[in-house]
Amino acid sequence: MTKKEAKKRIEELRKKTNYYAQKYYDEDNPEITDYEYDMLMLELRNLEKEYPEYINKESLTQKVGGTVKEGFAKVTHEVPLQSLQDVFSFEEIEEFLQRMEEKAKENNIEEINYVVETKIDGLSSAIEYKNGEFVRGATRGNGLIGEDVTNNIKTIKSIPMNLKEKIDIIVRGEVFISKNNFEELNKKREEEDQELFANARNAAAGSLRQLDSNITKQRPLEIYFFNVQKIEGKNFNSHFEELEYLEKLGFTVNPIKILCKTKEEIFNAIEEIGRKREELSFGIDGAVIKIDNLRFREILGSTSKVPRWAIAYKYPPERKETVLKDIMCQVGRTGVITPMAILEPVKIAGSTVSKTTLHNEDFIKQKNLKIGDTVIVQKAGDVIPEIVGVNEKKRTGEEIDFKMPKKCPVCGADAIREEGEAALRCTRS
Ligand SMILES: [Zn+2]
């Protein structure tokens, strides 16, 4: 890639990610999957690393996505609600650990402890207490300024209105809707002919960011706390101590937090969370690795966007093998005939997949799919599952080539693929 091309691509990626972030954070209505978004961000970050002269403060690598919705009062966060640096491989985690070790040595810190936690897929909020009494709740917004959602936060059943101690404290938590409650909520909406939420995270965000608290009240919002933003008259040595104290005060804290010392322990913790992911009652979008020692955190400090003492590991999309039992053609309202894969049901990323689209004839050719093949199915989070390839080693020779039908499977009229088009169409539609 030439410098000119890099500049162009960076600008393009900056525009795209800003647009998608707006859909995601401000409108609670994502247009692409989290995984696709993450990949765009990764490309942007890598290009900016190579060409730092093109970094711009409007880039989402430099600022936190999200703004304040009209109609809400603004809250300036006393302590910014930062985001986290995402990483996608164990190598990047190792690099992080190495940086931490070097910094510890420089600063004569003898022992480093880490905490690995689930990264709950909800929306971050700051809740303020004065003299032990709940006074205010705000969304993260752009990290510096959030939306005042006090009345909506109050509708969350597990939020304590009075703490066990009369202290001044600001705590940070993640507001979410559990997987079961999300399914029920969407079922109800379907019955009432209302638009469905794309995923639990959007349902939670859309519910908390309501101007009418009576609507929020009907939504099964929950919150897990994971950080002390500010506290008067108390000092802690470690993050773990902080969390124990939060529990003592009456807060529900993130239930999965694993104290680690070595790289092996950290990798094991991440893998364990990955294995447990499906069984968790709430959705996660990764695992967070953070420094436990609070004094060390202070020394490490932050960039304009993220703390240097933590990273978020994003799990790769889950892949599983299953048998492609058949290919059936569906006819859409516009007459497009779409081949659908009928699969031996397989549990993947929390749901059972037995059917998925094959898009068109070219897709089947590109992937070299035959009926009877063992195929690799991928699903990332809430995304629609897709076939990414064939395990050709498992072929027996009994597999059958698939041909698109010559007639519409619904009405029997001729099916035609026009030149330059990917889709096969029913001529009667
Ligand atoms: Zn037809």
Side-chain angles (χ1 to χ4, degrees):
M1 189 181 271
T2 66
K3 229 176 135 161
K4 210 173 142 194
E5 283 165 348
K7 182 172 184 246
K8 200 175 148 219
R9 183 65 183 152
I10 286 172
E11 278 165 7
E12 211 172 77
L13 286 166
R14 195 190 298 139
K15 238 189 234 161
K16 268 193 186 175
T17 49
N18 270 305
Y19 172 79
Y20 291 130
Q22 189 194 336
K23 288 275 163 195
Y24 178 94
Y25 289 112
D26 303 337
E27 298 170 27
D28 301 318
N29 184 23
E31 270 186 18
I32 57 172
T33 65
D34 291 0
Y35 184 69
E36 286 166 317
Y37 178 77
D38 286 345
M39 290 302 108
L40 291 174
M41 282 301 293
L42 182 64
E43 191 188 345
L44 178 60
R45 177 153 61 95
N46 286 338
L47 272 175
E48 283 182 344
K49 214 190 247 173
E50 211 176 320
Y51 301 94
E53 60 270 40
Y54 300 134
I55 296 180
N56 172 310
K57 67 178 188 337
E58 281 311 304
S59 172
L60 279 165
T61 57
Q62 310 299 310
K63 63 167 191 183
V64 175
T67 53
V68 173
K69 199 154 129 182
E70 236 174 276
F72 286 109
K74 287 180 184 176
V75 174
T76 303
H77 295 300
E78 270 186 65
V79 178
L81 273 68
Q82 295 181 303
S83 65
L84 289 166
Q85 178 67 65
D86 291 331
V87 301
F88 299 90
S89 68
F90 277 27
E91 287 79 51
E92 285 178 288
I93 298 173
E94 273 187 69
E95 282 167 26
F96 167 74
L97 300 178
Q98 229 160 37
R99 277 201 304 277
M100 294 302 105
E101 259 170 53
E102 282 162 20
K103 281 282 171 194
K105 231 181 241 163
E106 276 172 33
N107 293 284
N108 296 316
I109 287 167
E110 282 173 16
E111 198 186 28
I112 321 176
N113 286 327
Y114 297 90
V115 184
V116 176
E117 295 172 2
T118 44
K119 189 168 183 291
I120 301 159
D121 198 10
L123 77 160
S124 217
S125 304
I127 323 283
E128 197 176 336
Y129 291 78
K130 282 245 156 66
N131 205 21
E133 264 177 54
F134 174 97
V135 290
R136 189 163 68 174
T139 62
R140 187 177 74 165
N142 66 3
L144 303 172
I145 298 169
E147 297 151 333
D148 189 328
V149 286
T150 301
N151 290 328
N152 296 353
I153 288 277
K154 274 189 189 167
T155 69
I156 303 175
K157 289 190 190 79
S158 68
I159 288 261
M161 285 296 117
N162 291 287
L163 303 179
K164 301 262 162 69
E165 284 179 36
K166 294 198 177 310
I167 46 145
D168 292 354
I169 188 172
I170 303 175
V171 278
R172 181 171 175 182
E174 194 80 0
V175 176
F176 65 96
I177 290 180
S178 74
K179 291 178 190 167
N180 284 341
N181 282 332
F182 167 66
E183 265 177 44
E184 238 167 76
L185 180 64
N186 252 357
K187 216 189 312 162
K188 218 162 81 195
R189 287 175 79 84
E190 199 173 4
E191 283 163 11
E192 290 164 3
D193 245 353
Q194 285 178 287
E195 204 184 324
L196 301 187
F197 290 114
N199 55 48
R201 194 258 166 210
N202 288 121
S207 302
L208 186 64
R209 303 175 75 214
Q210 281 287 341
L211 294 171
D212 180 359
S213 302
N214 288 318
I215 296 173
T216 311
K217 209 192 225 159
Q218 295 159 21
R219 306 279 171 79
L221 289 174
E222 294 176 55
I223 186 166
Y224 283 153
F225 289 91
F226 64 91
N227 201 49
V228 173
Q229 297 293 101
K230 195 183 171 198
I231 186 163
E232 298 291 333
K234 285 255 176 205
N235 271 306
F236 301 101
N237 291 315
S238 74
H239 174 63
F240 231 74
E241 268 177 30
E242 269 183 357
L243 294 177
E244 281 171 357
Y245 179 68
L246 286 181
E247 280 190 296
K248 238 191 274 168
L249 286 179
F251 292 109
T252 313
V253 303
N254 187 347
I256 299 183
K257 43 192 189 301
I258 306 161
L259 201 57
C260 301
K261 282 188 192 299
T262 64
K263 184 173 83 182
E264 286 67 35
E265 285 173 359
I266 290 169
F267 286 174
N268 283 339
I270 291 170
E271 277 169 354
E272 196 194 322
I273 290 173
R275 276 195 300 275
K276 273 195 198 155
R277 187 173 182 172
E278 284 183 25
E279 305 154 23
L280 293 175
S281 62
F282 50 90
I284 64 167
D285 63 342
V288 186
I289 303 116
K290 22 175 121 156
I291 294 280
D292 190 40
N293 178 325
L294 298 181
R295 194 174 71 86
F296 189 25
R297 281 193 187 181
E298 244 169 69
I299 293 169
L300 290 161
S302 309
T303 69
S304 61
K305 189 191 170 190
V306 296
R308 291 196 187 86
W309 42 263
I311 49 169
Y313 172 73
K314 297 277 186 129
Y315 291 92
E318 205 177 318
R319 286 181 170 192
K320 276 199 186 150
E321 286 191 353
T322 191
V323 176
L324 174 60
K325 292 198 300 187
D326 202 356
I327 297 175
M328 308 269 267
C329 281
Q330 273 184 358
V331 187
R333 247 178 283 162
T334 56
V336 173
I337 300 169
T338 307
M340 297 291 294
I342 308 299
L343 302 166
E344 186 64 51
V346 59
K347 198 156 188 216
I348 174 166
S351 55
T352 302
V353 178
S354 55
K355 209 169 115 179
T356 179
T357 180
L358 294 172
H359 307 287
N360 52 49
E361 191 176 10
D362 292 346
F363 182 88
I364 296 171
K365 275 198 185 133
Q366 277 160 18
K367 298 276 187 279
N368 186 22
L369 301 178
K370 295 173 194 282
I371 295 166
D373 262 338
T374 298
V375 291
I376 300 146
V377 185
Q378 171 174 299
K379 188 167 182 278
D382 308 308
V383 189
I384 296 160
E386 53 174 357
I387 290 180
V388 291
V390 177
N391 184 347
E392 291 190 14
K393 280 185 208 139
K394 291 203 174 161
R395 279 207 171 135
T396 60
E398 309 263 297
E399 295 76 16
I400 303 160
D401 279 319
F402 172 76
K403 283 198 183 65
M404 291 296 277
K406 292 205 164 51
K407 304 273 180 201
C408 169
V410 170
C411 69
D414 286 343
I416 285 181
R417 183 177 170 182
E418 304 262 5
E419 233 185 79
E421 270 205 37
L424 182 74
R425 282 174 194 278
C426 165
T427 45
R428 195 166 291 169
S429 296

